Each structure stands twice: as C-alpha cells, then as structure tokens.
Amino acid sequence: MRRFGSFHLAALVLGFAFLYLPIVALIAYSFNASRLVTVWGGFSTHWYVALFNNQPLLDAAWLTIRVALVSATLAAGLGTLAALALTRYRSFAGRTLFSGMVLAPLVMPEVITGLSLLLLFVAGDVGRGYWTVVVAHATFSLGFACIVVQARLAGFDRSLEEAARDLGATPVTTFFTVTLPLIWPAVLAAWMLAFTLSLDDLVIASFTSGPGATTLPMRLYSAIRLGVSPEINAACTIMIGAVAVAVIAASLLLKREALAGEKG
C-alpha cells in the first residue's frame, strides 16, 4: 500500500484551494463596504440591501427559479420514462435512434443545441419567452436525468414487480406502488441535477429567451460586462448558500432513508 506523503498532501491542498478560494473570496467581498470589489473598505451588508431593492435582478431570479422548477420536473419525469423504456425493453424498433436522440444533449455543444431550438421555434412561429426556455432546458436536461435513473434501474430487483403483478396489480399500479418508491432517490437526484443545470445555464437561454424572459445568469452576464459590482457578489453568495443548504438537506434525507431501509 502506497504511503500518503507530503507531496500528495500538498497536491490535495492546492487542488482544494484552486477550487474553493475564489468562492471564499467572492463571499468575503460581498460584505465589502467599498464599491471597488478589489479594495476592502470594511464590513458591511449594504450590498445585500441594495440587492433586495434591485427589482430587475429579483425578477430575473424569480423567473430563473420558476423555469428551473418546471423544466427539472419535466426532465425528471420524461427521463424516468425513457430510462424505463431503455432498461426494460432491450430490443424494439427504433431503439438505437431513440437512445441516441435522448442522450444527444450530453455530448452536443450547448451552442448547437440552443441554435437548433431557436430555429425550431422560429420555423414553428413560436413566440420566445418563458415556455420556450422551459422546453429548451427540459430538452437539454432530459439525457442527464435518463442516465441517472437508468443506472438505478440496472440493478433493480424485478421480482418485486412480478410479485405485485401476480397479486393482481396493474402495470400502472405496480409502477406507482412498487417501482417508483424504490427508485425515487435516483429520480430525486435526476431532478436536482436538472434543476442545477437549468439554474446555471446561460448559452441555451440566450438563444431561446425573448423580451421579458431574462434569466438570472443572463442578467448577471450583462451586468458583469459593465464591471463587477459587490451587488453581484451578494447575489452569487445567496445562490451558493441556497445550493449548499439544498445539497445538505438532500444528503441528510437520503441518509435517513438508507438507515431506515437497513433497519427494515
């Protein structure tokens, strides 16, 4: 067994520093009293007050959350159905094409995906706005959700479903009473991944959004081009805190469910 030496420790520390020191600096400077983000002017929460008085930024944040909630739900639901089809039915007409179409967004550059969806909406004479962004994000996240759920279904014990069917349950009843409760951690993980991808997206939303449908990443990018403001640092700090709380809560919930399953 190789010994964990000083070189490995230094590499680990440098790696974590490279990843997290910029985030720590961003959080620290969100409490900077100075307007200059690189000059510390003392501790202040002024920029958080200014943030909550910035109505365009708040509107963009609320729109982003709504888009992420709806698109993540669509992606998780459709991804679960696609994963069931690919896992349960090894051979059917068009399986290869279906699999390729579902998983294509994983390897397709976001610029290509955004441009393709833009051309589709223009050809269909669909006005760009909230729903076009939702459809675009659901399309983009569907493949990721499918992969997560498919990995869980690969080791699923189908004898439980067969027992339910033998007792007279219909396929739909079996899915909602047996299959879904057993794979729901994977569905939840797929939903969280799709939610994060939607929350973070800039490129696809730039192609598919329209007037009155400016997401938070688009708003922040537009503001940064004119110069970084501590108000933007405050907005990013709140986003980091919200994501951290959500990840911790989900981890604790999954851990509790795992312990309950072991006791059961």
Side-chain angles (χ1 to χ4, degrees):
M1 182 177 179
R2 298 183 61 182
R3 184 178 178 182
F4 189 83
S6 56
F7 174 79
H8 301 87
L9 178 61
L12 183 64
V13 171
L14 288 175
F16 277 111
F18 177 79
L19 291 173
Y20 294 108
L21 275 182
I23 298 177
V24 173
L26 182 147
I27 295 173
Y29 277 102
S30 70
F31 296 98
N32 186 11
S34 173
R35 179 174 289 275
L36 301 175
V37 295
T38 57
V39 178
W40 182 256
F43 182 86
S44 174
T45 58
H46 167 73
W47 300 111
Y48 287 89
V49 177
L51 172 64
F52 286 104
N53 290 326
N54 189 333
Q55 194 59 44
L57 199 61
L58 293 178
D59 292 340
W62 174 234
L63 175 70
T64 302
I65 292 174
R66 287 190 291 130
V67 168
L69 288 172
V70 178
S71 64
T73 303
L74 288 174
L78 295 175
T80 300
L81 296 177
L84 283 168
L86 293 173
T87 305
R88 300 296 171 80
Y89 305 100
R90 298 294 182 179
S91 60
F92 58 85
R95 186 184 189 280
T96 302
L97 177 61
F98 175 74
S99 176
M101 295 295 290
V102 170
L103 303 180
L106 274 70
V107 296
M108 192 77 69
E110 291 187 23
V111 174
I112 302 300
T113 303
L115 181 59
S116 301
L117 290 168
L118 171 61
L119 295 176
L120 175 65
F121 295 142
V122 171
D125 196 21
V126 178
R128 285 175 291 159
Y130 169 78
W131 285 108
T132 55
V133 179
V134 168
V135 171
H137 283 185
T139 303
F140 170 67
S141 306
L142 173 61
F144 294 91
C146 178
I147 287 292
V148 174
V149 178
Q150 193 174 1
R152 174 65 183 90
L153 288 171
F156 186 82
D157 185 6
R158 298 200 58 184
S159 62
L160 300 173
E161 292 179 332
E162 294 172 358
R165 295 295 302 277
D166 289 341
L167 293 174
T170 63
V172 175
T173 303
T174 301
F175 174 76
F176 283 105
T177 59
V178 178
T179 308
L180 187 59
L182 292 175
I183 66 170
W184 84 265
V187 177
L188 176 61
W191 186 91
M192 292 183 62
L193 179 58
F195 182 85
T196 304
L197 290 171
S198 175
L199 205 66
D200 180 63
D201 176 69
L202 170 64
V203 178
I204 295 177
S206 298
F207 279 99
T208 57
S209 65
T214 302
T215 62
L216 184 59
M218 294 172 61
R219 179 72 65 180
L220 293 178
Y221 179 72
S222 299
I224 286 174
R225 287 190 297 176
L226 301 176
V228 180
S229 166
E231 193 174 333
I232 296 176
N233 292 344
C236 295
T237 300
I238 292 175
M239 291 179 63
I240 292 170
V243 171
V245 170
V247 170
I248 293 172
S251 299
L252 293 176
L253 181 62
L254 292 176
K255 185 177 181 180
R256 187 181 68 176
E257 290 293 331
L259 292 176
E262 292 177 359
K263 292 180 180 179

